[in-house]
Amino acid sequence: MIVYLDNNATTRLAPEALEAMLPFLQESYGNAGSGHVLGHLSEGAVVQARDQVAALLGCSPAEILFNSGGTEGINHAFRGVFEAFPKKRHFVVSAVEHPAVMAVCEWLKLNGAEVTVVGVDDEGRLDLAALEASIRPDTALVSLMAANNESGVLFPLEKLAQIVKGKGALLHVDATQAIGKAALDLARLPIDLLNGSGHKFHGPKGTGVLFIRRGLRLKPFMLGGHQERGRRGGTENVPGIVGLGKACEMALTHLPHVVAMSELRDQLESAIQSTIPDVHIHGAGASRLPNTSFMGFQGLEGEALLLKLSERGVCVSTGSACTTGQKEPSHVLRAMNVPKGYAMGTIRISLSRYTTAEEIQKVSGMLPGIVEDLRRSDLFARV
Ligand code: PLP
């Protein structure tokens, strides 16, 4: 039996989302832009999905753009702002952003922009004084994540918005990991742009949303037809949009219960800390997502631990800590100053609302033996 604990990488599709999608993969296959009865059915379903997303995020449905996922939303936000404000050529990001943000920053630099990277402390908390000092009159956009995909550390959005808006820059939030796990209320938070991805909260893969606050005009990222009110060309992925909408509705009903997930995560962490020596939980001193545990075991390789767990049917990740063949800790671990001995032995365990207490007990039971074996073999390898 598989124990799936890699929910920050992707999640299982909620059965309710699958059920909502099926008619649009089978008999209701009309193009949402068509004037006939099947077209109207699809169009109505897209309208309903937009309402479901808006209800979860606390915004107006007209501010929601459907797209293919987090990466597209990030590209659209940055490149849209870059094009819309040609006199502002300065951008600010944190040192622990997702590789999609980092890659777009490289593109910005190649195209004449300047990018300031704001650091974090050892717990992964953003340096707010440095953020404030980094924003200039020519800063077009500050882009910060709501929650880190590796450590689960949450950035204080209210405070960030206060700082960024106080200095007159636009604020983009990559909420890919936060949606469904932490409350977000765009009616209260003066964020200008925010992106999310369906497959991170039990929606289908290849679906996402970009929130663009009313009044902010960005050129379409995808040139084409009139779809999405001219903001993204291409026939709408109706089944995907319907599944994403349903996943938002489910997330809204489950949000009050995420505390159960954090209790399971905390149980796992205390079990591990009481049975295994030399473990460090990265970011445990900061506010974190309720589902994420990013733990470093000194004296072993995270990749080897991942493989041993996988042999026993347990799916975890190294974050992007040290992907196969890459012998350097991730940029997140480096930004958090994690000593190399712990960084190289890091794995990320990420729960979902489907994770059970039995699964957590099973993993806490098997980890001490595996860690001991790996540490012993690592020691032999060195002599
Ligand atoms: N941003 C963060 C924080 C993520 O964790 C991810 C996915 O891992 C992305 C962006 C990219 O999202 P997608 O896979 O939908 O392109």
Side-chain angles (χ1 to χ4, degrees):
M1 203 189 68
I2 294 288
V3 176
Y4 187 76
L5 294 172
D6 194 15
N7 288 282
N8 285 11
T10 196
T11 57
R12 67 171 277 196
L13 185 64
E16 296 84 352
L18 175 64
E19 201 186 324
M21 291 168 73
L22 281 175
F24 298 95
L25 288 163
Q26 293 170 323
E27 66 278 7
S28 277
Y29 47 80
N31 186 317
S34 297
H36 50 64
V37 58
L38 281 191
H40 291 157
L41 271 177
S42 290
E43 190 191 7
V46 172
V47 168
Q48 187 189 0
R50 213 182 297 278
D51 288 345
Q52 287 163 319
V53 178
L56 177 66
L57 299 180
C59 63
S60 150
E63 293 171 311
I64 293 297
L65 179 72
F66 288 117
N67 61 22
S68 68
T71 302
E72 182 181 331
I74 289 165
N75 272 268
H76 192 171
F78 273 88
R79 295 167 75 156
V81 169
F82 183 81
E83 255 197 308
F85 300 93
K87 293 212 170 74
K88 295 197 170 192
R89 282 292 171 258
H90 179 236
F91 291 75
V92 178
V93 298
S94 87
V96 293
E97 296 301 314
H98 187 268
V101 168
M102 298 310 196
V104 177
C105 285
E106 289 309 309
W107 179 89
L108 287 173
K109 286 193 267 181
L110 284 176
N111 285 276
E114 198 186 324
V115 179
T116 300
V117 179
V118 177
V120 297
D121 70 10
D122 291 3
E123 296 291 346
R125 290 175 294 225
L126 192 68
D127 182 341
L128 297 180
L131 171 68
E132 183 148 23
S134 73
I135 305 168
R136 320 186 306 213
D138 67 335
T139 303
L141 183 72
V142 176
S143 176
L144 297 163
M145 62 206 324
N148 187 269
N149 45 304
E150 293 187 31
S151 65
V153 171
L154 294 162
F155 281 169
L157 293 185
E158 219 160 300
K159 189 90 198 123
L160 302 185
Q162 214 177 13
I163 294 173
V164 176
K165 300 315 294 171
K167 290 215 143 188
L170 290 173
L171 175 60
H172 164 244
V173 170
D174 174 9
T176 306
Q177 290 293 342
I179 295 179
K181 299 177 225 163
L184 287 165
D185 185 4
L186 290 166
R188 258 183 353 96
L189 290 166
I191 292 168
D192 301 288
L193 293 151
L194 176 140
N195 67 276
S197 180
H199 74 102
K200 303 287 188 184
F201 57 98
H202 307 294
K205 291 174 180 57
T207 66
V209 290
L210 178 64
F211 158 82
I212 308 176
R213 191 168 290 281
R214 193 188 309 269
L216 176 59
R217 297 220 168 278
L218 300 187
K219 294 239 176 70
F221 182 61
M222 195 82 83
L223 297 173
H226 56 274
Q227 292 90 351
E228 293 292 299
R229 294 197 292 126
R231 295 175 301 175
R232 183 184 190 260
T235 299
E236 293 89 343
N237 169 10
V238 178
I241 289 171
V242 167
L244 172 68
K246 191 68 185 176
C248 285
E249 187 189 298
M250 303 298 298
L252 193 57
T253 58
H254 280 97
L255 263 179
H257 313 298
V258 293
V259 64
M261 209 153 57
S262 69
E263 281 165 10
L264 283 183
R265 188 268 316 269
D266 294 348
Q267 278 168 25
L268 174 71
E269 289 184 348
S270 3
I272 287 171
Q273 284 176 307
S274 61
T275 52
I276 305 177
D278 301 322
V279 187
H280 184 253
I281 313 282
H282 312 308
S287 299
R288 282 184 296 164
L289 286 173
N291 78 319
T292 307
S293 186
F294 197 35
M295 45 182 83
F297 300 87
Q298 200 180 26
L300 57 80
E301 298 244 339
E303 189 71 12
L305 182 50
L306 178 151
L307 293 174
K308 287 283 174 205
L309 286 167
S310 175
E311 280 167 15
R312 290 163 174 77
V314 178
C315 303
V316 303
S317 159
T318 51
S320 44
C322 36
T323 40
T324 321
Q326 203 182 312
K327 288 287 175 203
E328 274 304 304
S330 73
H331 69 292
V332 175
L333 289 165
R334 277 184 275 128
M336 291 169 78
N337 269 321
V338 174
K340 202 158 177 187
Y342 282 97
M344 296 312 289
T346 291
I347 58 165
R348 179 189 67 191
I349 293 184
S350 48
L351 288 65
S352 82
R353 62 174 184 257
Y354 298 107
T355 306
T356 65
E358 292 69 38
E359 289 176 323
I360 292 300
Q361 276 154 15
K362 187 171 167 182
V363 175
S364 346
M366 69 173 63
L367 264 171
I370 299 178
V371 168
E372 203 183 321
D373 285 352
L374 285 175
R375 279 180 172 158
R376 204 176 305 127
S377 57
D378 198 56
L379 210 64
F380 282 132
R382 277 173 219 214
V383 273

